[in-house]
Every structure is written in C-alpha cells, then in structure tokens.
Amino acid sequence: MHDREYGNGNGIGHDNAIGKGHSNGNSHPIGNGNGISNFLNGFANGNDIGNGLGNGHGMGNGHSNDNGNVNGNGAKGKKMKPMESEVLREQGHIMVDFIADYYKNLEDSPQDFPVLSQVQPGYLRDMLPDSAPDHPETLKELLDDVSKKIIPGITHWQSPGYFAYYASSTSVAGFLGEMLNAGLSVVGFTWLTSPAATELEVIVLDWLAKLLQLPNDFLSTGNGGGVIQGTGCEAVLVVVLAARDKILKKVGKTSLPRLVVYATDQTHSSFRKACLIAGVHEENIRLLKTDASTNYGMPPESLEEAISSDLAHGFIPFFILATVGTTSSAAVDPLVPLGKTAKSYGIWMHVDAAYAGSACICPEFRKFIDGIENADSMNINAHKWLFANQTCSPLWVKDKYSLIDALKTNPEYLEYKVPKRDEVVNFKDWQISLSRRFRSLKLWMVLRLYGSENLRDFIRDHVNLAKKFEDYVAQDQRFEVVTTRYFSLVCFRLAPVGGDEDTCNEHNRELLATVNSTGKIFISHTALSGKFILRFAVGAPLTEERHVTEAWQTIKKLASKFNRNGNY
C-alpha cells in the first residue's frame, strides 16, 4: 500500500492490482474523510461487498447473476436503471482500479505499451461484433475487451515516452474533477440551469487571470471576463466572430468582402478555419512570412507594411492573431510592437497562447506575454500544460459585450428575467454551442489540490528536461538544434552534409519513422523554411529525466546508420 499526498496533505492508500482490496490505512481520502476498506474481488465476482464507507455499513446485498458477475440489478426480475448509486459505487471502484493500473503499467512495463500504436487501419473491425448486444454484458467482459482490443489501438499520450505533439496533460486532480463533473452531470448554459457552475467559472477564471498577471480589464469585475471553451480552436473562432460583428457595425454588413485578417505562416491552422466560418474570404487572410531571423515570430514591420498596403487598396483590417508558442516551433510573436500597431489602427488583437500560456504563471516566463495590455483577448489550453485534462481552454476578453452581442440567442424557453443586464452570466452567449459541461470544476480542483507553486514546479521540471535533451543534441556533431528553445519543445534534426538539404530531409524522415516504429518513444515533425524538422516536446505527466535520457539513446543509436558522408 502506498500513501500519496494530494496538495491538501490527505493521503489515499493504494493496492495497485486489479481485484485486490483497497484500504486507506490510517490516512484520510480527499473529501469527507470516509475510508474505503475491504473492497474484495475487484471484478465483482459475486462476493458480498461489506464494510463499505467509513462507518462499516455494507454496500448492499451483493446480488449476482448466473455467471457470478454482479450486474447491479439486485433481485431477479428487478428493472435495470441507467443510474443506481450502489452499482456506481461498486463498478466505479473497479474502473478506478483499472485506470490506476494502466498508469502504473505505463511506468513499470513500458515494453507492453508501444507509445505510438502499431496497429494497421481497420484492425478493430474484425475484432468486434457487427451490431450492439441486445442484453447486458458484464463489466469484466467489457474491460477484458478494453485490455485486449482497445489498448493496442491507443497511442499513449500519457506515456513517459511521449514526446510528439504538445502533451494533453492529465493529473490525479484533473481526473477527480472529471469524475465529479461526470457524476454531477450538470448542463450550465445559463445561470439558472446551474448557478454554481456559472459562478465558479467566473471566479476560477479570475483566479487564473491573476496568476498570469493579466490586466484588470480581463477580470469579471469590469467589462471583461473569462469563459472556458472546449478547445483553443473554439476560442479563436468566437473572438473572430466578435471582432467581425464589431467592425461590421461601424462599416456596414455589406463590407464583409473587404475585411482582412493578419497572422503568420506559423499560426495554427484553426485560424484559417475560423476565418472561413466567419465569412472572411480566403484571399483576405494574410499569413505573413517568417524565418529564422526572428526565430519564426511575426516581424512587426511586415505587419505594418501589410496593413498600410491593404488600407491603400480599400480593404478593412480588423483582426490580428499573435501566437505565444506556435505549434511548429513554440515561436513567440512580439506582443509589445504588435499590440501598439493594433491599437493605433483600432484592430482587434487576439493572443493565442494555447501551449505556452500556462508557463506564464511562472515569473521567469511571464515576459513572453508582456504587451498583453494592448490585446483584446487571450486564450490558453489548461489541458495542454496545466494538468486539467481534456477539454479546458480558458479565454479572456476585455469587452464581453462584443462576444455576447455576436453569439447571444434569446428563445422564450431560455428566458430568465433579471433586473439588470449584468446581474447574472449566461455562458451560452459566450460560445458556439448551447450545452456546456461544468469544466471549471476540474480547473478549480487542480488549482486547489496542487496549489500554484506546485503547478509552477511541474512546468519548470518539463522545461529543464527539454534543456537536458537540447544539451544532448548540441553535444553530438551529427545533429543540430534548429531554433531557439523558449519552453519545453526542442526542434532538431540530423545536420546536412555538404549543404545537401534534400538528402538531409530524406534522412530525417527515415529517422523519424524508424524511431517511432520502435514503440519506445513517439516524436513528431514539422517543416521550417523548407527543412524537415524533428520535434521533441516534453509534457507528459509521468516523464522523468531517465525517460529523456533513454529517448536520446534510442535516437542516437538509430541515427548511427547515417555516416558523415550522408550515406548508409
């Protein structure tokens, strides 16, 4: 049994094998202090389950079906319900065991879990029936299929050997938040539908804004505020729509064909999609060219020139997207000069900090969002690097009314009369969809169960591990680091021999495929200035220094097939 601390000092005891008894010894679980004891025969094989929660009362009679697997129906003939508390209690324990063992096995038996799934397209079709079952199957049967059929087809994003795209970071606190969210299953599209869901979101987004040292204009105490979108893509879309409607109110709706937006050739592809959805013509999306001279950040002079040229030709510039931590190389657009330009022309500037924004809770990284005071909106992905689990993308705006006016709907069945417009928040008017999950719950739990100092240390650990890998690359003459590393992404490649870029690209492609085929690690690639680049992104919650060192040893060994003459 292992006792672990979760921020508030309360330990939870674990016995990691599925089917074993769970107890907490003398420690207290997170929550109300009820202990879980004598949870025997984890797959509920028909044994009675007693000594349940803290006070020693049993969890029911433990009725079983003919094959010994408890199905939660109780006495024969009792009608099955989709939600029964005792079935949830019993099977929930089994599921938590299963997931906990999955994470333990990722650490202890990585050879059994290839990081990049090695299956072929269509593999699952022959392994599952053609139609859904007519009658209930047991949870044991289902989890057996998960182990044998589903797990082999998963790319393990939480594996300590995952270094590919930016991580989708999970955590115990985030998982518990998701569990509580799923259990409560509220739908908080208006204040009335779940007041706590709305009010907690307002409060938690203010907390996070203060951790990021955002200007007061972004707080809920004024005309601004925060909202949790599902993804960064959704965040960018809603602010493009808000900015579009705001400018069209000034210049007239018929001016839509003249609206122009600005970003760089490194901007996430979701920006183009957002613009097209918003009705911005493809040819009016200006993606400014970047290169190594600015470390692939947006050149301020290029923005000025593009705006001046567009104005001279009768276009209407209305939106600038600046990125802090681009997808390809974690490049940072210079917010200070870009923000001054946006302000001088009256253009909405959005800061997409989906990846790197979370790092800015650390004082040493806060400088990367200097100039945010001249931006109109900003988003981060708390599920990327703030351990909040998918999906959780905080968005802040200075002018919430621009967002609301662009997205509000007022059908009679959703009307809730209040004396003042700002007396309540209805988040349905801050997003695309009507339904919304209680996402702030898990973010609140992450902030409380870890605390800001631990979150900063988690991020710093990842940055230090990336620095370790960067040092390995720099010390090997066959490789080169391609861009300046700001955060926890290292862009590197086999260096060209004799200036032969075509052969260099070919070799790096082959190295990538070979490395990923081992199943030991998973890395990804990008293209910068026509060069095929390998990306090594640290961010998985289980990754430690030994995993980074082992990853480098794998890469170095497989690169040995290329000699300095560029031949095999």
Side-chain angles (χ1 to χ4, degrees):
M1 182 176 71
H2 308 285
D3 282 341
R4 296 177 185 256
E5 297 298 319
Y6 294 109
N8 59 3
N10 295 327
I12 293 183
H14 287 280
D15 186 345
N16 288 299
I18 292 180
K20 302 295 184 181
H22 272 224
S23 67
N24 70 345
N26 295 320
S27 62
H28 297 285
I30 296 172
N32 60 11
N34 292 326
I36 299 173
S37 61
N38 293 332
F39 180 55
L40 304 174
N41 299 310
F43 277 117
N45 60 6
N47 294 327
D48 287 355
I49 299 173
N51 297 324
L53 294 180
N55 56 13
H57 294 298
M59 291 196 221
N61 297 322
H63 296 296
S64 63
N65 58 21
D66 291 340
N67 61 11
N69 289 293
V70 175
N71 63 16
N73 292 339
K76 188 174 182 180
K78 181 180 177 182
K79 183 178 180 182
M80 176 180 280
K81 300 177 182 178
M83 175 58 78
E84 293 188 62
S85 61
E86 296 310 318
V87 175
L88 175 62
R89 190 189 317 280
E90 171 191 313
Q91 298 192 355
H93 287 317
I94 296 171
M95 186 61 75
V96 169
D97 276 349
F98 185 89
I99 296 168
D101 284 339
Y102 167 73
Y103 277 94
K104 183 172 176 56
N105 288 329
L106 282 181
E107 289 189 277
D108 295 349
S109 306
Q111 69 278 2
D112 297 329
F113 297 87
V115 187
L116 177 62
S117 175
Q118 304 296 302
V119 302
Q120 297 300 311
Y123 89 99
L124 195 56
R125 175 65 66 180
D126 294 334
M127 301 179 76
L128 295 181
D130 290 335
S131 57
D134 290 328
H135 303 289
E137 297 180 2
T138 66
L139 182 58
K140 182 183 185 304
E141 290 173 320
L142 189 148
L143 290 180
D144 282 346
D145 274 355
V146 171
S147 295
K148 297 172 184 176
K149 302 173 184 178
I150 302 300
I151 295 293
I154 289 177
T155 290
H156 300 286
W157 283 67
Q158 308 308 319
S159 167
Y162 180 93
F163 302 105
Y165 314 102
Y166 293 134
S168 174
S169 62
T170 189
S171 66
V172 172
F175 173 78
L176 294 175
E178 282 284 1
M179 184 188 297
L180 186 54
N181 184 5
L184 297 177
S185 196
V186 304
V187 185
F189 46 78
T190 63
W191 178 88
L192 182 65
T193 56
S194 279
T198 297
E199 296 192 13
L200 184 63
E201 187 160 336
V202 171
I203 292 167
V204 169
L205 268 290
D206 279 352
W207 281 10
L208 190 50
K210 291 174 182 176
L211 285 177
L212 291 165
Q213 300 178 54
L214 298 186
N216 289 339
D217 291 344
F218 288 107
L219 299 180
S220 64
T221 49
N223 288 336
V227 56
I228 301 178
Q229 303 288 338
T231 65
C233 303
E234 295 169 48
V236 170
L237 172 57
V238 297
V239 292
V240 168
L241 293 172
R244 178 202 66 183
D245 282 13
K246 186 175 181 179
I247 191 66
L248 288 179
K249 286 179 181 178
K250 294 181 179 179
V251 299
K253 294 181 179 180
T254 58
S255 298
L256 181 60
R258 295 192 290 140
L259 298 188
V260 180
V261 299
Y262 305 88
T264 76
D265 54 8
Q266 299 301 306
T267 300
H268 194 275
S269 60
S270 61
F271 178 59
R272 174 182 172 274
K273 183 181 290 188
C275 292
L276 295 179
I277 292 172
V280 177
H281 291 195
E282 176 93 52
E283 59 270 24
N284 290 358
I285 302 173
R286 310 281 188 253
L287 299 181
L288 307 179
K289 184 177 176 56
T290 62
D291 57 38
S293 67
T294 59
N295 207 38
Y296 298 96
M298 183 186 291
E301 60 277 8
S302 296
L303 178 63
E304 280 278 0
E305 292 171 5
I307 292 173
S308 296
S309 175
D310 282 329
L311 287 172
H313 289 85
F315 290 102
I316 304 172
F318 84 100
F319 194 90
I320 298 167
L321 188 139
T323 305
V324 176
T326 59
T327 301
S328 283
S329 65
V332 177
D333 291 337
L335 303 190
V336 173
L338 299 181
K340 290 179 179 177
T341 296
K343 193 171 183 178
S344 66
Y345 287 101
I347 301 173
W348 185 301
M349 186 171 89
H350 176 71
V351 176
D352 179 7
Y355 161 59
S358 297
C360 296
I361 68 172
C362 302
E364 64 269 33
F365 299 123
R366 174 56 177 75
K367 63 186 177 182
F368 292 110
I369 56 171
D370 285 352
I372 191 68
E373 61 272 10
N374 286 326
D376 296 276
S377 53
M378 172 183 169
N379 74 280
I380 70 171
N381 279 358
H383 57 252
K384 272 192 169 68
W385 212 1
L386 211 58
F387 310 95
N389 294 47
Q390 287 274 1
T391 51
C392 186
S393 296
L395 165 70
W396 293 271
V397 292
K398 280 184 176 178
D399 179 13
K400 61 188 175 186
Y401 301 113
S402 293
L403 200 60
I404 293 169
D405 290 346
L407 300 170
K408 67 182 177 183
T409 55
N410 294 305
E412 182 61 33
Y413 51 82
L414 294 180
E415 277 293 323
Y416 175 60
K417 303 297 183 182
V418 292
K420 299 178 181 178
R421 182 181 186 186
D422 293 332
E423 189 171 10
V424 298
V425 174
N426 294 317
F427 277 127
K428 71 178 180 64
D429 296 332
W430 297 50
Q431 63 179 32
I432 299 300
S433 64
L434 174 64
S435 295
R436 64 193 328 269
R437 303 181 71 223
F438 195 171
R439 293 190 181 102
S440 60
L441 198 57
K442 61 182 174 181
L443 188 53
W444 184 52
M445 291 180 68
V446 166
L447 292 172
R448 290 191 63 186
L449 295 180
Y450 295 133
S452 57
E453 279 306 311
N454 277 324
L455 291 172
R456 292 184 182 107
D457 287 343
F458 295 159
I459 291 168
R460 288 169 177 143
D461 285 346
H462 287 161
V463 173
N464 290 335
L465 290 177
K467 175 65 167 61
K468 183 80 173 179
F469 184 83
E470 182 183 43
D471 290 342
Y472 285 142
V473 174
Q475 292 163 13
D476 192 312
Q477 297 181 18
R478 297 170 300 170
F479 289 87
E480 65 178 359
V481 177
V482 179
T483 62
T484 300
R485 181 192 54 77
Y486 294 134
F487 305 104
S488 67
L489 171 68
V490 180
C491 290
F492 72 108
R493 66 171 182 163
L494 283 165
V497 178
D500 187 348
E501 288 291 346
D502 289 340
T503 300
C504 179
N505 286 343
E506 179 183 334
H507 286 177
N508 280 287
R509 285 181 185 276
E510 183 172 347
L511 178 59
L512 175 74
T514 305
V515 165
N516 288 340
S517 69
T518 67
K520 295 180 179 179
I521 63 173
F522 179 28
I523 61 176
S524 59
H525 77 281
T526 190
L528 296 170
S529 301
K531 301 172 183 177
F532 188 90
I533 307 298
L534 306 179
R535 298 172 73 259
F536 188 92
V538 181
L542 298 177
T543 302
E544 299 175 354
E545 183 174 341
R546 63 188 174 91
H547 301 115
V548 170
T549 300
E550 290 166 4
W552 172 245
Q553 293 301 325
T554 297
I555 294 169
K556 186 170 68 170
K557 178 181 178 181
L558 294 174
S560 63
K561 68 188 298 183
F562 305 106
N563 63 33
R564 293 306 295 167
N565 295 322
N567 299 316
Y568 291 102

